[in-house]
């Protein structure tokens, strides 16, 4: 018989924000890439990214592929067409 | 000790005042109303300082005190019957979230047909929700159990919600001499939760989603915790009795003239009638169940092991089993005995009908001729 | 990743989730001194899977229909603890807040407690599989109001909850959209600056339930606003003001962008346009 694993009382989680250990990037079938020559770092993609995977550093958009689920909203909202996508082979 | 002649509901309201809850929420329902009104009056007169949420349903009453308890404040509510049934879903949540809420249940029958009088179908139906359930025989005991309930619920070994059950009308609307302690001193220390609070400096997530494995473990932990709460219930009962010179038996069960061959068993105020019968006769003693949850199996076995006959008088029905839950559970507890007493179940007082001492005696007298396991419905 | 966000990544919302955008934008405006009381639903179940949580702010979930009642209790507990600073937010989808949980919301509003009620509206019960809600728009096909040989989808018009909120004499009621984040954040900040009960209703498209490509979530949300299917306004002490004047793009552009309306004929869409125009004019052309 299996033993009970250790659990926190009432299923309470105090290690807040620990879902960052779950790399949802593995879900992705399409991958967006940023053309740094065109990107102005305007941050519109960051504003609309549902998964919080975009940061703006040195006026450029950086996508964190650990979490990017490949929805391609960023590609779609970019006013400068600096983001393009292609099928991702894994 | 000063005795005052008080209505049960007023007495309970006074005991709640002594326990200093931070947040209370009520939805009025007969026969709980006098408790809600009296506590509202205590607040209106500045005698009780707490946040009072005038909710729009019993479902919200319990949900609100789940919120306040989860935020780390001592929380209290009270209800009856349909109101308790409406809370059903959140009863499980309160226990699973390990929130030490205290709730007086003023017992009343359930619809249909609609009926406002006393029986225990309401609280007994909620026996599997993870709440501790204590039943009062008298108004004094309703006061004492309410005070003890806060202490038990908030004990770090327990952290479970408690229902303190008292009979609708028979207790809630009846005047009896009651001692309300002037102060309970430090019997109930300030509630400082270390497991559940909602503080933006120490964020936590409460009420998470759990996959089968952790869910299973959490329910197992809950089951073990309520089982073990009997230790704390006993301790608190003992400490209370040292301080206030009153007790509820050993905290779990109460016996009276238990050296006789027949044991008559019940919960709540009906024990008064049974005591009268015990005093009149020389063949039977009383076993009163104070704690229905946790179910004091060992104490019951110990109290009944030498009996020839046990007769359970209960004001609840587990529809589809012909009898009541207490009967089934006591019968199951006695299964481990080599020499098992004859057991008879009596469903009585349903919908508030009087349970007459003459009828109780008739059943005791005819027990000899009844088959083992017989269930009698007393109308 | 965005480490400053109060919602850590790794949660399991679908790709292109509108409600996820709503919550992220909301949290940009609230700051961290808040308590979130979350109804059961997509956001709750995807962000709090034991032993993990995405929420870096205090968060509690109890059941589907009691987020507002739980928030009532949390608020009073904080007051009892001498804390009248921390903002308490009752949060849920259209099912949890506008249908099954609406009684608790109405009770909270009537009591006048200082709690912000937020609905992220994706216009159906998405967590259980796209069943219709009171907030599902007219003629949308859902799994419980499927279009068919004799059915054109949901029979009823969308429930007007902001109007019901106003009927509770709320000091602040606003609608918002994930496509207009500055407007949304302004409304959340304004709501939190007002003492008392307040309501912000956020339109948040669901690519899975509305049947459009995950990349189009913001486009669809924008079309809803520009076609007058969803209006952005605030109501302060009963005074209603549009915060964005819609361009008046044809309703057809919005409806044809999603497959939940694909059964509608051009005549049906003409009828739809008339109802939308009449409804908008009644509200805003006075």
């Amino acid at each position: 018989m299996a033993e009970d694993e250790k659990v926190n009382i009432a299923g309470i989680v105090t290690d807040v924000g620990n879902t960052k250990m779950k790399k949802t990037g593995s879900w992705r079938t399409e991958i967006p890439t940023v053309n740094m020559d065109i990107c102005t770092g305007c941050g519109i993609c960051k504003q609309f990214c549902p998964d919080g995977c975009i940061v703006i550093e040195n006026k450029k958009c950086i996508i964190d592929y650990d979490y990017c689920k490949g929805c391609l909203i960023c590609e779609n909202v970019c006013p400068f067409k600096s983001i393009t996508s292609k099928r991702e082979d894994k | 000790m000063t005795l005052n002649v008080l209505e049960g509901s007023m007495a309970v309201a006074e005991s709640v005042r002594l326990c200093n809850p931070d947040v209370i929420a009520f939805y009025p329902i007969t026969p709980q109303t006098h408790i809600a009104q009296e506590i509202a009056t205590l607040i209106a007169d500045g005698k009780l300082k707490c946040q009072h949420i005038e909710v729009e349903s019993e479902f919200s009453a319990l949900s609100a005190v789940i919120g306040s308890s989860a935020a780390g404040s001592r929380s209290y509510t009270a209800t009856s019957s349909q109101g308790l049934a409406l809370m059903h879903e959140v009863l499980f949540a309160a226990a699973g979230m390990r929130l030490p809420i205290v709730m007086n249940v003023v017992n009343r029958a359930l619809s249909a047909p609609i009926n406002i009088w006393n029986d225990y179908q309401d609280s007994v139906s909620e026996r599997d929700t993870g709440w501790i359930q204590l039943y009062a025989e008298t108004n004094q005991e309703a006061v004492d159990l309410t005070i003890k309930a806060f202490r038990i619920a908030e004990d770090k070994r327990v952290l479970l919600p408690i229902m303190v059950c008292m009979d609708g009308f028979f207790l809630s609307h009846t005047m009896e001499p009651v001692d309300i302690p002037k102060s309970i001193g430090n019997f109930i220390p300030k509630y400082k939760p270390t497991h559940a609070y909602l503080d933006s400096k120490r964020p936590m997530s409460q009420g998470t989603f759990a996959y089968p494995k952790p869910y299973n473990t959490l329910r197992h932990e809950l089951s073990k915790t309520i089982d073990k709460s009997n230790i704390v219930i006993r301790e608190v009962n003992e400490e209370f009795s040292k301080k206030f010179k009153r007790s509820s038996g050993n905290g779990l069960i109460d016996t009276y003239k238990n050296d006789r061959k027949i044991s008559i068993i019940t919960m709540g105020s009906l024990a008064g009638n049974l005591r009268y019968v015990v005093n009149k006769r020389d063949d039977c003693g009383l076993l009163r169940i104070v704690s229905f949850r946790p179910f004091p199996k060992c104490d019951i076995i110990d109290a009944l092991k030498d009996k020839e006959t046990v007769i359970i008088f209960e004001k609840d029905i587990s529809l589809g089993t012909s009898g009541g839950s207490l009967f089934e559970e006591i019968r199951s507890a006695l299964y481990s005995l080599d020499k098992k007493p004859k057991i008879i179940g009596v469903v009585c007082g349903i919908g508030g009908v009087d349970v007459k001492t003459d009828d109780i005696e008739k059943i005791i007298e005819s027990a000899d001729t009844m088959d083992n396991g017989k269930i009698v419905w007393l109308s | 990743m965005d480490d400053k966000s109060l919602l850590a990544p790794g949660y399991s919302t679908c790709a292109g989730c509108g409600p996820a955008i709503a919550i992220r934008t909301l949290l940009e405006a609230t700051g961290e001194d808040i308590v979130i009381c979350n109804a059961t639903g997509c956001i709750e179940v995807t962000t709090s899977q034991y032993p993990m949580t995405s929420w870096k702010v205090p968060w509690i979930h109890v059941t589907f229909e009691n987020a507002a009642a739980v928030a009532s209790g949390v608020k009073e507990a904080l007051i009892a603890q001498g804390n009248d600073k921390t903002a308490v937010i009752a949060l849920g989808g259209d099912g949890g807040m506008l249908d099954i949980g609406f009684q608790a919301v109405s009770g909270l509003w009537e009591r006048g407690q200082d709690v912000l009620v937020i609905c992220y509206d994706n216009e159906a019960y998405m967590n259980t599989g796209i069943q219709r809600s009171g907030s599902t728009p007219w003629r949308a096909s859902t799994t419980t109001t499927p279009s068919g040989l004799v059915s054109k989808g949901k029979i009823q018009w969308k429930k007007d909850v902001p109007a019901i909120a106003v009927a509770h004499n709320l000091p602040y009621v606003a609608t918002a959209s994930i496509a207009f984040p500055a407007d949304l954040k302004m409304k959340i900040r304004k709501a939190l600056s007002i003492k008392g009960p307040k309501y912000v209703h956020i339109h948040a498209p669901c690519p899975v339930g509305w049947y459009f490509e995950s990349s189009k979530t913001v486009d669809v949300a924008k079309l809803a606003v520009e076609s007058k299917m969803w209006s952005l306004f605030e109501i302060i002490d009963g005074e209603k003001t549009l915060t964005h004047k819609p361009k008046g793009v044809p309703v057809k552009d919005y409806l044809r962008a999603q497959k939940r309306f694909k059964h509608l004929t051009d005549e049906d869409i003409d009828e739809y346009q008339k109802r939308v125009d009449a409804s908008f004019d009644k509200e805003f052309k006075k």
Side-chain angles (χ1 to χ4, degrees), chain C residues 214-246:
Chain C
S214 64
S215 61
K216 304 288 186 201
T217 306
V218 177
D219 296 3
V220 168
K222 202 172 279 174
L223 278 171
V225 172
E226 299 298 7
S227 67
K228 306 177 184 170
M229 278 288 292
W230 182 250
S231 302
L232 302 184
F233 57 81
E234 40 178 29
I235 304 169
I236 303 175
D237 293 327
E239 198 65 43
K240 190 169 183 176
T241 328
L242 268 178
T243 57
H244 174 84
K245 196 170 175 297

Side-chain angles (χ1 to χ4, degrees), chain A residues 7-8 11 13 16-20 22 24 27 46-52 55 64 67 69 71-73 76-77, chain C residues 1-2 8-13 16-17 20-21 24 28 49-55 178 181 185 214-215 218-219:
Chain A
V7 287
N8 297 344
V13 182
V16 296
N18 59 359
T19 50
K20 69 179 181 208
K22 285 195 333 198
T24 51
W27 297 16
K46 176 185 189 303
Q47 181 67 62
F48 290 117
C49 174
D51 294 296
V55 285
D64 188 336
Y67 303 103
K69 294 169 185 164
C71 71
L72 306 182
I73 287 177
N76 202 47
V77 297
Chain C
M1 66 159 150
D2 182 5
Y11 46 84
S12 52
T13 50
C17 176
I21 300 173
R24 299 191 70 81
E28 283 177 47
Q49 300 181 357
Y50 182 86
M52 293 190 186
T53 182
S54 300
W55 299 88
I178 58 145
K185 284 186 265 188
S214 64
S215 61
V218 177
D219 296 3

Side-chain angles (χ1 to χ4, degrees), chain C:
Chain C
M1 66 159 150
D2 182 5
D3 240 349
K4 286 194 203 85
S5 174
L6 297 172
L7 194 71
Y11 46 84
S12 52
T13 50
C14 308
C17 176
I21 300 173
I23 305 313
R24 299 191 70 81
T25 314
L26 161 75
L27 291 173
E28 283 177 47
T30 58
E32 58 188 34
D33 196 7
I34 57 171
V35 176
I36 298 273
C37 306
N38 203 167
T40 309
C42 287
I43 288 297
E44 170 269 326
V45 80
T46 53
T47 55
S48 68
Q49 300 181 357
Y50 182 86
M52 293 190 186
T53 182
S54 300
W55 299 88
K56 297 190 206 163
V57 291
W59 180 92
I60 178 171
H61 157 256
V62 183
T63 65
F64 196 10
E65 67 276 39
N66 70 359
V70 172
S72 290
V74 171
K75 181 69 206 178
E76 296 309 310
L78 295 182
I79 293 172
Q81 293 163 16
N83 174 358
D84 59 1
K85 244 176 72 246
T86 301
V88 177
I89 297 175
L91 169 73
D94 43 309
M97 303 313 270
L98 313 186
D99 281 353
I100 192 169
F102 186 69
Q103 176 178 317
V105 169
S106 173
L108 167 75
W109 286 344
E110 183 274 329
R111 287 190 294 276
Q113 288 175 280
D114 185 21
V115 172
L116 170 58
V117 176
I118 289 182
C119 170
Y120 64 85
D121 183 3
N122 55 11
E123 302 192 327
Y125 291 85
M126 300 315 185
N127 195 36
T128 44
I130 324 166
Q131 295 84 12
R132 67 85 91 182
S133 77
S135 206
T136 300
W138 184 48
R139 289 190 166 174
S141 183
T142 69
T143 55
T144 49
T145 58
S147 59
L149 295 176
V150 294
S151 161
K152 284 183 189 292
K154 191 194 176 195
I155 296 166
Q156 300 83 1
W157 197 250
K158 185 181 175 80
K159 179 164 163 178
D160 186 358
V161 177
I164 305 171
V166 170
H168 286 74
N169 292 314
L170 261 55
Y172 189 78
V173 175
T175 57
S177 163
I178 58 145
F180 294 81
D183 178 78
L184 167 51
K185 284 186 265 188
M186 176 274 285
K187 286 167 177 168
I188 297 296
R189 289 194 188 103
K190 199 181 276 185
L192 289 176
S193 74
I194 294 168
K195 218 170 157 59
K198 44 254 166 177
Y199 178 54
V200 179
H201 188 146
I202 310 170
H203 196 240
C206 168
V208 174
W210 299 9
Y211 305 96
F212 60 80
E213 290 286 328
S214 64
S215 61
K216 304 288 186 201
T217 306
V218 177
D219 296 3
V220 168
K222 202 172 279 174
L223 278 171
V225 172
E226 299 298 7
S227 67
K228 306 177 184 170
M229 278 288 292
W230 182 250
S231 302
L232 302 184
F233 57 81
E234 40 178 29
I235 304 169
I236 303 175
D237 293 327
E239 198 65 43
K240 190 169 183 176
T241 328
L242 268 178
T243 57
H244 174 84
K245 196 170 175 297
K247 291 186 182 126
V249 303
V251 166
K252 189 174 185 169
D253 294 3
Y254 175 65
L255 299 180
R256 287 293 186 230
Q258 322 159 49
K259 293 207 178 84
R260 63 176 171 158
F261 295 111
K262 76 165 191 282
H263 55 285
L264 298 186
T265 63
D266 285 346
E267 291 79 54
D268 291 336
I269 288 176
D270 287 343
E271 195 188 348
Y272 216 125
Q273 182 74 54
K274 282 187 194 119
R275 276 193 78 167
V276 169
D277 286 342
S279 162
F280 185 86
D281 290 350
K282 188 174 147 228
E283 287 302 313
F284 299 105
K285 273 200 180 158
K286 280 168 191 163

Side-chain angles (χ1 to χ4, degrees), chain A:
Chain A
M1 279 191 292
E3 296 263 313
D4 278 348
E5 58 195 61
K6 199 153 166 43
V7 287
N8 297 344
I9 185 167
I12 289 169
V13 182
T14 51
D15 183 13
V16 296
N18 59 359
T19 50
K20 69 179 181 208
M21 291 187 288
K22 285 195 333 198
K23 303 289 165 69
T24 51
S26 62
W27 297 16
R28 199 169 53 239
T29 56
E30 304 277 330
I31 184 162
T33 39
V34 186
N35 183 334
M36 296 300 178
D37 295 336
I38 308 174
C39 177
T40 66
C42 71
I44 290 177
C45 54
K46 176 185 189 303
Q47 181 67 62
F48 290 117
C49 174
D51 294 296
C53 2
I54 298 178
V55 285
I56 308 295
E57 278 172 17
N58 303 321
K59 296 197 171 167
K60 297 289 169 197
C61 150
I62 315 285
I63 298 174
D64 188 336
Y65 294 106
D66 277 350
Y67 303 103
C68 168
K69 294 169 185 164
C71 71
L72 306 182
I73 287 177
C74 54
E75 178 186 17
N76 202 47
V77 297
C78 177
F80 307 102
K81 305 261 177 266
S82 75
I83 302 177
T84 51
S85 64
K86 61 168 196 246
R87 188 115 197 129
E88 186 176 19
D89 296 316
K90 285 186 183 161

